[in-house]
Amino acid sequence: MPRFLEKLGMDPKMALGYLGVILFMMGDGLEQGWLSSYLTDNGLSIQQSALLFSVYGVAVALASWFSGVLAEILGTRKAMTLGVALFLIGTIVFLTIGLPSMNLWIMIPTYSLRGLGYPLFAYSFLVWLTYYTPSNKLGTAVGWFWFSFAAGLNVLGAYYSSFVLPILGEINTLWSAVIFTGVGALIAIMTNNDDSSSGKTFETRQDMAKYLLKGITIAFEKPKIGLGGIVRTINTTGAYGFVVFMPAYMMEIGFTRTEWLQIYGLLWTSNIFFNLIFGIVGDKLGWRNTVMWFGGVGCAIFTAAFYYVPTLLGPHYFFTILTACCFGACLAAYAPLSALIPSLAGNNKGAAMSVLNLGAGLSTFLGPAIVGAFIGSIGTLGIIWIYTILYLLSAFLMKFIQLPRKEEEKSSDDLTNLKDVVGSSN
């Protein structure tokens, strides 16, 4: 077995850590595809549901941004443990008080604690992974991390829910998340038994603040990196917005909730595998061209198709799944941003990655926020066209994000180490 894992590019010790990440993220993401429809069926308006998910997105963005620094200050095991604690506290209070009362002002802070929890856990594990793994194997190790992260959060959780919701019901399904996250966290934290950190030291709080703010100021010092952060924000804005209003729309069309969850799961299954494919395509056609045409233009086409295909054909399972898979594939075409943007940063690649991480977190806020702000006035079709226009805007912005020729030549030499990291786009 160890030899087989080594052939896959995986450190045998890390196999357990990846399993822990999968289980934790599966517990975290099992409600993504159906919680919004459950809330609206039980008294909340779609605007209130969108507000809940938007504030959750702000929490995810903040935790994504701070996770790396906290892992370096506290140590990775302590930072991971803090993330687990926040997740469990938020989940328990959300399920025992928030959901039964349908009191939005209890639900918002407790559900947001979940949003603080998973980036601290998962990204702190990633920090430890980067220090544990030899440099010649780091790209593969990070690639396996993002595969595990996305498989748990976006795929296995959706499939699990599609099978157990009819049996356990919504509340008990949410309670089962505690089991997955608890077991996953225990495995991953036990794997991380040396509590490595980056070794960064800060003599004063001012030094720490400067280090933290570099991930923002670099976006202004190097405008192309700032544009890259905007493009990364747009990348998954539509995907996170879909979970707020598409379940209800699909069920209006005639799909069952189980069918919708399977469609949603296949969307992200396609995304996972196309991350690898578009890493190769980006090498052949160029990182910028891949993001611009397959990512921006492709997502615009299939965002519109995600509405029009079931509207015109009705609840046609095959063609709707095909459309969802194409959309998921085009989301993956933004992956070369994780190679392109750090290549523009010189010696501040970490700060450039912070801009991308912040964009990734902001998308979990912006997607639902657009729904909350506009669904009442322009309806489902209007929201679809807002996302479509945003994806076209991201394609336009990519025209201005280009490596200087010298850097472009150098980047081809660095691609071997970077392209496995490309999966961090998701």
Side-chain angles (χ1 to χ4, degrees), residues 36 40 44-55 104 237-238 240-246 363-380 382-384 386-387:
S36 177
T40 54
L44 293 189
S45 68
I46 195 166
Q47 289 88 348
Q48 289 174 319
S49 176
L51 175 63
L52 176 68
F53 283 97
S54 297
V55 178
L104 195 62
T237 288
Y240 286 119
F242 281 166
V243 300
V244 179
F245 71 99
M246 285 300 282
S363 69
T364 65
F365 159 76
L366 183 61
I370 289 172
V371 178
F374 297 108
I375 192 74
S377 57
I378 60 178
T380 299
I383 297 297
I384 288 291
I386 288 177
Y387 292 148

Side-chain angles (χ1 to χ4, degrees), residues 174-193:
L174 286 171
W175 274 114
S176 69
V178 174
I179 299 173
F180 286 108
T181 53
V183 172
L186 183 63
I187 292 172
I189 292 172
M190 287 179 64
T191 301
N192 176 6
N193 57 14

Side-chain angles (χ1 to χ4, degrees), residues 90 121 125 136 151 256 263 280 293 320 413:
F121 169 82
F125 179 88
N136 64 326
T256 66
I263 291 167
I280 299 171
W293 294 108
T320 304
D413 297 330

Side-chain angles (χ1 to χ4, degrees), residues 96-161:
T96 55
I97 303 176
L99 268 186
S101 67
M102 281 291 162
N103 185 325
L104 195 62
W105 305 113
I106 297 175
M107 296 166 70
I108 286 176
T110 54
Y111 194 60
S112 295
L113 281 180
R114 289 169 60 100
L116 292 174
Y118 93 72
L120 284 176
F121 169 82
Y123 297 155
S124 296
F125 179 88
L126 178 59
V127 170
W128 171 67
L129 180 66
T130 61
Y131 295 111
Y132 169 82
T133 308
S135 58
N136 64 326
K137 297 181 179 179
L138 181 57
T140 302
V142 173
W144 275 112
F145 167 82
W146 287 110
F147 181 92
S148 303
F149 180 95
L153 180 64
N154 298 315
V155 179
L156 295 178
Y159 281 123
Y160 168 78
S161 292

Side-chain angles (χ1 to χ4, degrees), residues 242-315:
F242 281 166
V243 300
V244 179
F245 71 99
M246 285 300 282
Y249 175 70
M250 288 294 187
M251 283 181 267
E252 286 178 13
I253 292 293
F255 289 104
T256 66
R257 183 168 62 179
T258 297
E259 288 173 331
W260 157 249
L261 289 171
Q262 291 169 352
I263 291 167
Y264 183 73
L266 282 169
L267 185 160
W268 288 107
T269 302
S270 167
N271 175 265
I272 288 173
F273 290 104
F274 270 89
N275 272 313
L276 304 176
I277 293 172
F278 278 118
I280 299 171
V281 171
D283 187 17
K284 300 296 184 182
L285 298 183
W287 297 333
R288 186 184 67 149
N289 288 334
T290 300
V291 175
M292 182 189 303
W293 294 108
F294 291 100
V297 176
C299 278
I301 292 170
F302 289 107
T303 294
F306 211 18
Y307 174 86
Y308 285 107
V309 167
T311 298
L312 297 175
L313 300 181

Side-chain angles (χ1 to χ4, degrees), residues 197-241:
S197 66
S198 70
K200 284 187 178 294
T201 57
F202 304 96
E203 295 181 1
T204 66
R205 291 184 179 180
Q206 288 183 335
D207 292 337
M208 190 183 302
K210 287 179 181 179
Y211 173 73
L212 181 64
L213 292 175
K214 187 65 177 178
I216 296 176
T217 59
I218 195 173
F220 300 95
E221 295 166 2
K222 296 180 179 291
K224 289 181 181 179
I225 292 176
L227 290 178
I230 294 173
V231 172
R232 179 61 187 91
T233 301
I234 293 172
N235 177 193
T236 44
T237 288
Y240 286 119

